[in-house]
mmCIF file of all heavy atoms in Angstrom:
data_model
loop_
_atom_site.group_PDB
_atom_site.id
_atom_site.type_symbol
_atom_site.label_atom_id
_atom_site.label_comp_id
_atom_site.label_asym_id
_atom_site.label_seq_id
_atom_site.Cartn_x
_atom_site.Cartn_y
_atom_site.Cartn_z
ATOM 1 N N SER A 131 12.565 4.517 -6.323
ATOM 2 C CA SER A 131 12.296 5.797 -5.631
ATOM 3 C C SER A 131 11.253 5.634 -4.586
ATOM 4 O O SER A 131 10.340 4.778 -4.622
ATOM 5 C CB SER A 131 11.715 6.778 -6.675
ATOM 6 O OG SER A 131 12.604 7.044 -7.728
ATOM 7 N N TYR A 132 11.391 6.459 -3.504
ATOM 8 C CA TYR A 132 10.463 6.401 -2.440
ATOM 9 C C TYR A 132 9.181 7.220 -2.712
ATOM 10 O O TYR A 132 8.779 8.151 -2.040
ATOM 11 C CB TYR A 132 11.136 7.064 -1.142
ATOM 12 C CG TYR A 132 12.019 6.104 -0.407
ATOM 13 C CD1 TYR A 132 12.411 4.863 -0.905
ATOM 14 C CD2 TYR A 132 12.503 6.418 0.860
ATOM 15 C CE1 TYR A 132 13.243 4.036 -0.240
ATOM 16 C CE2 TYR A 132 13.374 5.594 1.570
ATOM 17 C CZ TYR A 132 13.713 4.386 1.038
ATOM 18 O OH TYR A 132 14.537 3.541 1.720
ATOM 19 N N ASN A 133 8.502 6.775 -3.733
ATOM 20 C CA ASN A 133 7.191 7.382 -4.151
ATOM 21 C C ASN A 133 6.113 6.299 -3.859
ATOM 22 O O ASN A 133 5.398 5.939 -4.727
ATOM 23 C CB ASN A 133 7.256 7.772 -5.631
ATOM 24 C CG ASN A 133 5.991 8.538 -6.055
ATOM 25 O OD1 ASN A 133 5.348 9.115 -5.203
ATOM 26 N ND2 ASN A 133 5.690 8.507 -7.365
ATOM 27 N N PHE A 134 6.057 5.928 -2.595
ATOM 28 C CA PHE A 134 5.226 4.764 -2.197
ATOM 29 C C PHE A 134 3.741 4.976 -2.593
ATOM 30 O O PHE A 134 3.132 4.050 -3.074
ATOM 31 C CB PHE A 134 5.328 4.537 -0.674
ATOM 32 C CG PHE A 134 6.711 4.291 -0.225
ATOM 33 C CD1 PHE A 134 7.336 5.168 0.699
ATOM 34 C CD2 PHE A 134 7.432 3.203 -0.682
ATOM 35 C CE1 PHE A 134 8.629 4.920 1.147
ATOM 36 C CE2 PHE A 134 8.694 2.931 -0.219
ATOM 37 C CZ PHE A 134 9.332 3.837 0.643
ATOM 38 N N THR A 135 3.194 6.091 -2.295
ATOM 39 C CA THR A 135 1.770 6.306 -2.580
ATOM 40 C C THR A 135 1.491 7.219 -3.802
ATOM 41 O O THR A 135 0.400 7.716 -3.994
ATOM 42 C CB THR A 135 1.060 6.960 -1.324
ATOM 43 O OG1 THR A 135 1.816 8.086 -0.904
ATOM 44 C CG2 THR A 135 1.040 5.868 -0.225
ATOM 45 N N GLY A 136 2.544 7.536 -4.541
ATOM 46 C CA GLY A 136 2.368 8.252 -5.790
ATOM 47 C C GLY A 136 2.074 9.746 -5.599
ATOM 48 O O GLY A 136 1.636 10.427 -6.515
ATOM 49 N N LEU A 137 2.383 10.281 -4.401
ATOM 50 C CA LEU A 137 2.087 11.691 -4.149
ATOM 51 C C LEU A 137 2.953 12.638 -4.943
ATOM 52 O O LEU A 137 2.637 13.803 -5.210
ATOM 53 C CB LEU A 137 2.237 12.016 -2.655
ATOM 54 C CG LEU A 137 1.264 11.301 -1.710
ATOM 55 C CD1 LEU A 137 1.579 11.668 -0.277
ATOM 56 C CD2 LEU A 137 -0.162 11.563 -2.088
ATOM 57 N N ALA A 138 4.129 12.128 -5.406
ATOM 58 C CA ALA A 138 5.099 12.955 -6.102
ATOM 59 C C ALA A 138 4.528 13.391 -7.473
ATOM 60 O O ALA A 138 5.032 14.380 -8.063
ATOM 61 C CB ALA A 138 6.414 12.244 -6.358
ATOM 62 N N GLY A 139 3.541 12.721 -8.020
ATOM 63 C CA GLY A 139 3.018 13.040 -9.319
ATOM 64 C C GLY A 139 1.640 13.614 -9.291
ATOM 65 O O GLY A 139 1.005 13.761 -10.364
ATOM 66 N N LYS A 140 1.087 13.951 -8.127
ATOM 67 C CA LYS A 140 -0.297 14.438 -8.038
ATOM 68 C C LYS A 140 -0.380 15.859 -8.559
ATOM 69 O O LYS A 140 0.314 16.790 -8.040
ATOM 70 C CB LYS A 140 -0.777 14.378 -6.567
ATOM 71 C CG LYS A 140 -0.852 12.974 -6.032
ATOM 72 C CD LYS A 140 -1.923 12.116 -6.741
ATOM 73 C CE LYS A 140 -2.018 10.744 -6.115
ATOM 74 N NZ LYS A 140 -2.959 9.860 -6.843
ATOM 75 N N GLU A 141 -1.284 16.116 -9.457
ATOM 76 C CA GLU A 141 -1.411 17.424 -10.079
ATOM 77 C C GLU A 141 -1.920 18.491 -9.065
ATOM 78 O O GLU A 141 -1.530 19.669 -9.097
ATOM 79 C CB GLU A 141 -2.378 17.415 -11.310
ATOM 80 C CG GLU A 141 -1.804 16.705 -12.489
ATOM 81 C CD GLU A 141 -0.551 17.437 -13.045
ATOM 82 O OE1 GLU A 141 -0.480 18.649 -12.965
ATOM 83 O OE2 GLU A 141 0.346 16.708 -13.587
ATOM 84 N N VAL A 142 -2.784 18.016 -8.136
ATOM 85 C CA VAL A 142 -3.317 18.999 -7.166
ATOM 86 C C VAL A 142 -2.241 19.463 -6.263
ATOM 87 O O VAL A 142 -2.210 20.654 -5.838
ATOM 88 C CB VAL A 142 -4.459 18.294 -6.347
ATOM 89 C CG1 VAL A 142 -3.909 17.103 -5.584
ATOM 90 C CG2 VAL A 142 -5.103 19.279 -5.399
ATOM 91 N N ILE A 143 -1.232 18.609 -5.959
ATOM 92 C CA ILE A 143 -0.081 19.105 -5.136
ATOM 93 C C ILE A 143 0.795 20.051 -5.919
ATOM 94 O O ILE A 143 1.188 21.055 -5.371
ATOM 95 C CB ILE A 143 0.713 17.914 -4.675
ATOM 96 C CG1 ILE A 143 -0.191 16.979 -3.703
ATOM 97 C CG2 ILE A 143 1.970 18.313 -3.940
ATOM 98 C CD1 ILE A 143 0.519 15.795 -3.192
ATOM 99 N N LYS A 144 1.002 19.760 -7.191
ATOM 100 C CA LYS A 144 1.784 20.695 -8.039
ATOM 101 C C LYS A 144 1.160 22.053 -8.060
ATOM 102 O O LYS A 144 1.765 23.098 -7.927
ATOM 103 C CB LYS A 144 1.910 20.132 -9.400
ATOM 104 C CG LYS A 144 2.740 18.832 -9.516
ATOM 105 C CD LYS A 144 2.857 18.437 -10.986
ATOM 106 C CE LYS A 144 3.616 17.105 -11.120
ATOM 107 N NZ LYS A 144 3.657 16.691 -12.558
ATOM 108 N N GLU A 145 -0.177 22.061 -8.290
ATOM 109 C CA GLU A 145 -0.887 23.346 -8.389
ATOM 110 C C GLU A 145 -0.787 24.198 -7.116
ATOM 111 O O GLU A 145 -0.567 25.342 -7.125
ATOM 112 C CB GLU A 145 -2.343 23.094 -8.815
ATOM 113 C CG GLU A 145 -2.494 22.523 -10.196
ATOM 114 C CD GLU A 145 -3.948 22.080 -10.487
ATOM 115 O OE1 GLU A 145 -4.824 22.274 -9.562
ATOM 116 O OE2 GLU A 145 -4.215 21.583 -11.604
ATOM 117 N N ARG A 146 -0.996 23.508 -6.003
ATOM 118 C CA ARG A 146 -0.946 24.228 -4.708
ATOM 119 C C ARG A 146 0.483 24.672 -4.435
ATOM 120 O O ARG A 146 0.686 25.761 -3.850
ATOM 121 C CB ARG A 146 -1.404 23.279 -3.602
ATOM 122 C CG ARG A 146 -2.906 22.960 -3.594
ATOM 123 C CD ARG A 146 -3.703 24.157 -3.107
ATOM 124 N NE ARG A 146 -3.550 24.318 -1.669
ATOM 125 C CZ ARG A 146 -3.085 25.405 -1.049
ATOM 126 N NH1 ARG A 146 -2.595 26.406 -1.739
ATOM 127 N NH2 ARG A 146 -2.957 25.446 0.228
ATOM 128 N N ALA A 147 1.495 23.882 -4.782
ATOM 129 C CA ALA A 147 2.840 24.293 -4.606
ATOM 130 C C ALA A 147 3.229 25.570 -5.447
ATOM 131 O O ALA A 147 3.909 26.492 -4.967
ATOM 132 C CB ALA A 147 3.815 23.158 -4.954
ATOM 133 N N ILE A 148 2.721 25.591 -6.651
ATOM 134 C CA ILE A 148 2.957 26.761 -7.517
ATOM 135 C C ILE A 148 2.333 28.028 -6.934
ATOM 136 O O ILE A 148 2.920 29.130 -6.913
ATOM 137 C CB ILE A 148 2.529 26.503 -8.951
ATOM 138 C CG1 ILE A 148 3.366 25.329 -9.595
ATOM 139 C CG2 ILE A 148 2.548 27.762 -9.803
ATOM 140 C CD1 ILE A 148 2.901 24.920 -10.936
ATOM 141 N N GLU A 149 1.056 27.877 -6.501
ATOM 142 C CA GLU A 149 0.378 28.996 -5.824
ATOM 143 C C GLU A 149 1.148 29.494 -4.642
ATOM 144 O O GLU A 149 1.278 30.720 -4.481
ATOM 145 C CB GLU A 149 -1.025 28.507 -5.427
ATOM 146 C CG GLU A 149 -1.998 28.227 -6.609
ATOM 147 C CD GLU A 149 -3.322 27.685 -6.115
ATOM 148 O OE1 GLU A 149 -3.486 27.623 -4.866
ATOM 149 O OE2 GLU A 149 -4.161 27.257 -6.887
ATOM 150 N N THR A 150 1.610 28.559 -3.819
ATOM 151 C CA THR A 150 2.351 29.000 -2.616
ATOM 152 C C THR A 150 3.652 29.706 -2.973
ATOM 153 O O THR A 150 4.066 30.648 -2.310
ATOM 154 C CB THR A 150 2.601 27.797 -1.725
ATOM 155 O OG1 THR A 150 1.374 27.094 -1.519
ATOM 156 C CG2 THR A 150 3.219 28.163 -0.412
ATOM 157 N N LEU A 151 4.348 29.142 -4.025
ATOM 158 C CA LEU A 151 5.578 29.766 -4.495
ATOM 159 C C LEU A 151 5.398 31.210 -4.949
ATOM 160 O O LEU A 151 6.211 32.070 -4.599
ATOM 161 C CB LEU A 151 6.174 28.926 -5.546
ATOM 162 C CG LEU A 151 7.459 29.472 -6.231
ATOM 163 C CD1 LEU A 151 8.568 29.487 -5.204
ATOM 164 C CD2 LEU A 151 7.822 28.548 -7.428
ATOM 165 N N ARG A 152 4.332 31.445 -5.606
ATOM 166 C CA ARG A 152 4.040 32.829 -6.061
ATOM 167 C C ARG A 152 3.670 33.721 -4.934
ATOM 168 O O ARG A 152 3.924 34.932 -4.979
ATOM 169 C CB ARG A 152 2.956 32.791 -7.109
ATOM 170 C CG ARG A 152 3.369 32.159 -8.450
ATOM 171 C CD ARG A 152 2.195 31.959 -9.385
ATOM 172 N NE ARG A 152 2.715 31.460 -10.706
ATOM 173 C CZ ARG A 152 1.900 30.967 -11.606
ATOM 174 N NH1 ARG A 152 0.591 30.844 -11.376
ATOM 175 N NH2 ARG A 152 2.430 30.504 -12.788
ATOM 176 N N LYS A 153 3.064 33.193 -3.903
ATOM 177 C CA LYS A 153 2.624 34.016 -2.776
ATOM 178 C C LYS A 153 3.769 34.259 -1.740
ATOM 179 O O LYS A 153 3.935 35.411 -1.290
ATOM 180 C CB LYS A 153 1.456 33.341 -2.059
ATOM 181 C CG LYS A 153 0.937 34.096 -0.851
ATOM 182 C CD LYS A 153 -0.206 33.406 -0.165
ATOM 183 C CE LYS A 153 -0.753 34.189 1.020
ATOM 184 N NZ LYS A 153 -1.872 33.455 1.677
ATOM 185 N N TYR A 154 4.583 33.234 -1.398
ATOM 186 C CA TYR A 154 5.525 33.345 -0.310
ATOM 187 C C TYR A 154 6.943 33.455 -0.824
ATOM 188 O O TYR A 154 7.873 33.757 -0.020
ATOM 189 C CB TYR A 154 5.428 32.157 0.613
ATOM 190 C CG TYR A 154 4.152 32.119 1.367
ATOM 191 C CD1 TYR A 154 3.074 31.421 0.892
ATOM 192 C CD2 TYR A 154 3.998 32.717 2.612
ATOM 193 C CE1 TYR A 154 1.852 31.287 1.615
ATOM 194 C CE2 TYR A 154 2.892 32.644 3.367
ATOM 195 C CZ TYR A 154 1.752 31.947 2.839
ATOM 196 O OH TYR A 154 0.610 31.853 3.563
ATOM 197 N N GLY A 155 7.225 33.121 -2.101
ATOM 198 C CA GLY A 155 8.603 33.025 -2.575
ATOM 199 C C GLY A 155 9.146 31.643 -2.253
ATOM 200 O O GLY A 155 8.395 30.766 -1.832
ATOM 201 N N LEU A 156 10.407 31.469 -2.400
ATOM 202 C CA LEU A 156 11.052 30.135 -2.304
ATOM 203 C C LEU A 156 11.409 29.798 -0.833
ATOM 204 O O LEU A 156 10.802 28.952 -0.188
ATOM 205 C CB LEU A 156 12.257 29.988 -3.243
ATOM 206 C CG LEU A 156 12.862 28.621 -3.176
ATOM 207 C CD1 LEU A 156 11.905 27.523 -3.595
ATOM 208 C CD2 LEU A 156 14.110 28.589 -4.126
#
Side-chain angles (χ1 to χ4, degrees):
S131 300
Y132 278 11
N133 187 20
F134 301 117
T135 52
L137 297 179
K140 297 295 183 183
E141 289 298 326
V142 62
I143 295 180
K144 293 181 183 179
E145 294 172 1
R146 290 285 288 119
I148 293 173
E149 292 175 6
T150 307
L151 177 62
R152 290 172 175 166
K153 179 179 180 181
Y154 294 92
L156 182 58

